[in-house]
Amino acid sequence: MVVGDFPIEVDTLVVGSGPGGYVAAIRAAQLGQKVAIVEKDELGGVCLNVGCIPSKALISVGERFVQAQEADDMGIEVKDVKLDFSQAMKYKESVVNRLTGGVEGLLKGNKVEIIKGEAYFNDANTARVMNEDSAQTYKFKNAIIATGSRPVEIPGFAYSKRVLNSTGALSLEKLPKKLVVIGGGYIGTELGSAYANLGTEVTILEGGKDILLGFEKQMTAIVKKGLKKKDVEIVTEALAKGVEEKDDEVKVTYEVKGEEKTIEADYVLVTVGRRPNTDEIGLEGVGIEMTDRGLIKVDKQGRTNVPNIYAIGDVVEGPQLAHKASYEAKVAAEAISGEKSEVDYIAIPAVCFTSPELATVGLSEDQAKEEGYEVIAGKFPYAANGRALALGATEGFVKIVARKEDGLILGGQIVGANASDMISEFGIAIEAGMTLEDMAMTIHAHPTLGEIAMEAAEVALGKPIHMVTK
């Protein structure tokens, strides 16, 4: 191993190159800082390599496969539709490679030094970066911790060839005939739905009373209807107790209302949450304050109690979302440069790529009431929208929530086709302080799914055109 004799000096050292880290590095460099970024695995972090991007690629494959099988109503007859799973996985990898290559190009284009290795903080101004070939000390004025998170491993389900986390589920060589998913949150329902679309028999075991507890029941009811159509079995209030592994299958034991049951499958996928990667980088020795869960405490600029060290993304409080990390990254980089940026999570969206998709931003109707608002809400169905009818995607609705006294938009919820794309309109409305009237009077192109947001605002105002109200 080659050991560097003298520390290399930079203005800002970024640890981690996911959607938080690489964005922070680029923004800091744009603001005139000399920046180095450290990554122990692959550029782009979990999201680009084994998370958001590959899962969405696989989901898209599944949706295309289903569409090809169900196009008879549109006059398209496709016989003997077959899935080449190995080619599907190659397609997924091509998407990943294109994006990670793009990140590398962006970093180099902004003159960010890319360092391969693991960082360990010696003190508040130096960190040791080690890999198989070398060890080098970096001296920094400021640092941004963006080390992300890893899947939680539960007792009795140690990860192995047959007991998978999300990374393993996205790296299979053959399509499983049967899959058990433990956990009915975002990751479990997305991957469970994706594999069901590809032809796998899927069972979801959820410990709570329902799946996707972060969304309104009216929304998740539509998703559950879609899962049932795919023959996905959902077992709630199920306690996973253990797994027996064989060469080509697993037997999962779980308990429901005191009754012990077993289920056999090719694999079991465990998706019960993620834990922050803060335990092996030397933070305790630097004196950085953390919560009992291992999250780093920060202020509204991402600054820790050590003034020149910042933290963003999955290692701090809040939802573990890639777009949250990227947002916090810009704030932290700008704060280091002396700008007055600070986080405001009023319009941070949450999306689940099930079939149909779920998306929400701002406050739900119940949340708004809990916060003391007197609210009005409007809901408009996909089934009454021309574009949705033409697409054959009539399941779902758009809901808008506003303050009754002045119509100020507080939140929006969407379940249906392209919900992930449409939710941004509500995000902009909330950030801009728009009202129901603003939304209703904005001219939306016809025929588009976006019109449903306008129609929902008209319903809330009591003046709908395409809905008869009593």
Side-chain angles (χ1 to χ4, degrees), residues 13-247:
L13 182 71
V14 180
V15 183
S17 71
Y22 85 76
V23 170
I26 291 171
R27 179 52 54 87
Q30 289 173 341
L31 294 171
Q33 300 170 39
K34 181 182 178 182
V35 183
I37 189 167
V38 182
E39 175 55 61
K40 69 174 184 177
D41 295 315
E42 301 296 328
L43 285 176
V46 168
C47 178
L48 269 65
N49 289 280
V50 293
C52 317
I53 300 305
S55 65
K56 303 313 170 284
L58 194 63
I59 287 168
S60 295
V61 171
E63 289 176 345
R64 295 281 185 91
F65 187 50
V66 170
Q67 287 169 4
Q69 294 172 303
E70 299 179 350
D72 290 0
D73 288 348
M74 293 184 174
I76 303 171
E77 294 185 13
V78 183
K79 295 182 179 179
D80 300 322
V81 181
K82 296 179 180 179
L83 173 72
D84 184 338
F85 188 69
S86 61
Q87 182 58 40
M89 298 305 272
K90 288 179 182 178
Y91 167 73
K92 178 208 71 175
E93 286 304 311
S94 72
V95 174
V96 170
N97 292 336
R98 185 170 180 178
L99 281 171
T100 53
V103 168
E104 183 176 7
L106 288 169
L107 289 168
K108 290 180 176 178
N110 283 278
K111 299 180 180 179
V112 175
E113 180 186 357
I114 301 170
I115 310 163
K116 189 74 173 179
E118 294 188 53
Y120 188 90
F121 285 88
N122 299 325
D123 53 45
N125 290 103
T126 63
R128 194 77 159 163
V129 179
M130 296 164 284
N131 57 38
E132 292 180 357
D133 303 317
S134 65
Q136 177 64 55
T137 297
Y138 281 80
K139 185 176 182 180
F140 54 84
K141 295 177 183 177
N142 296 281
I144 299 175
I145 300 167
T147 46
S149 61
R150 62 186 184 274
V152 170
E153 189 175 84
I154 60 175
F157 290 85
Y159 294 127
S160 64
K161 180 182 176 181
R162 294 283 162 184
V163 181
L164 310 175
N165 55 28
S166 55
T167 300
L170 291 166
S171 306
L172 295 176
E173 295 181 358
K174 294 182 179 180
L175 180 69
K177 293 180 180 179
K178 294 183 179 182
L179 176 67
V180 174
V181 179
I182 298 176
Y186 286 75
I187 299 173
T189 51
E190 283 187 356
L191 291 179
S193 182
Y195 273 106
N197 278 339
L198 296 172
T200 300
E201 183 181 324
V202 176
T203 300
I204 298 176
L205 304 179
E206 166 56 43
K209 293 184 178 181
D210 205 352
I211 64 170
L212 296 166
L213 290 174
F215 294 95
E216 290 186 330
K217 285 188 175 182
Q218 287 180 322
M219 300 171 71
T220 58
I222 294 174
V223 171
K224 287 192 290 185
K225 180 181 176 182
L227 289 170
K228 186 176 181 180
K229 184 180 177 182
K230 304 177 201 301
D231 295 322
V232 174
E233 183 180 3
I234 300 171
V235 184
T236 57
E237 298 184 89
L239 175 64
K241 300 190 71 175
V243 59
E244 179 185 336
E245 295 182 60
K246 296 182 180 179
D247 289 340

Side-chain angles (χ1 to χ4, degrees), residues 251-400:
K251 181 185 289 186
V252 177
T253 302
Y254 64 98
E255 185 179 305
V256 179
K257 296 180 180 178
E259 182 181 355
E260 192 170 284
K261 298 184 178 183
T262 61
I263 183 172
E264 295 179 351
D266 299 299
Y267 299 94
V268 55
L269 166 60
V270 181
T271 61
V272 294
R274 302 180 65 84
R275 68 175 73 242
N277 293 324
T278 56
D279 48 347
E280 295 182 353
I281 55 176
L283 300 185
E284 297 85 351
V286 183
I288 291 177
E289 292 182 359
M290 291 186 282
T291 69
D292 293 339
R293 294 170 52 213
L295 296 168
I296 299 171
K297 296 180 180 180
V298 294
D299 65 13
K300 289 187 176 183
Q301 291 190 310
R303 187 184 291 104
T304 70
N305 63 301
V306 179
N308 66 313
I309 299 181
Y310 294 69
I312 59 174
D314 287 5
V315 298
V316 302
E317 289 281 4
Q320 294 174 321
L321 301 170
H323 46 275
K324 169 181 171 285
S326 296
Y327 170 64
E328 292 168 344
K330 297 170 189 175
V331 170
E334 290 167 2
I336 287 171
S337 298
E339 298 188 10
K340 295 182 179 180
S341 298
E342 63 177 40
V343 296
D344 180 359
Y345 299 122
I346 189 173
I348 183 167
V351 177
C352 189
F353 291 83
T354 46
S355 181
E357 295 177 352
L358 297 166
T360 183
V361 67
L363 301 176
S364 68
E365 187 172 1
D366 288 341
Q367 289 170 336
K369 290 176 180 177
E370 288 171 5
E371 292 196 12
Y373 291 105
E374 189 175 357
V375 301
I376 51 176
K379 187 168 73 171
F380 196 84
Y382 270 62
N385 174 264
R387 178 63 172 159
L389 287 165
L391 289 170
T394 57
E395 290 284 350
F397 61 83
V398 172
K399 184 177 181 180
I400 190 168

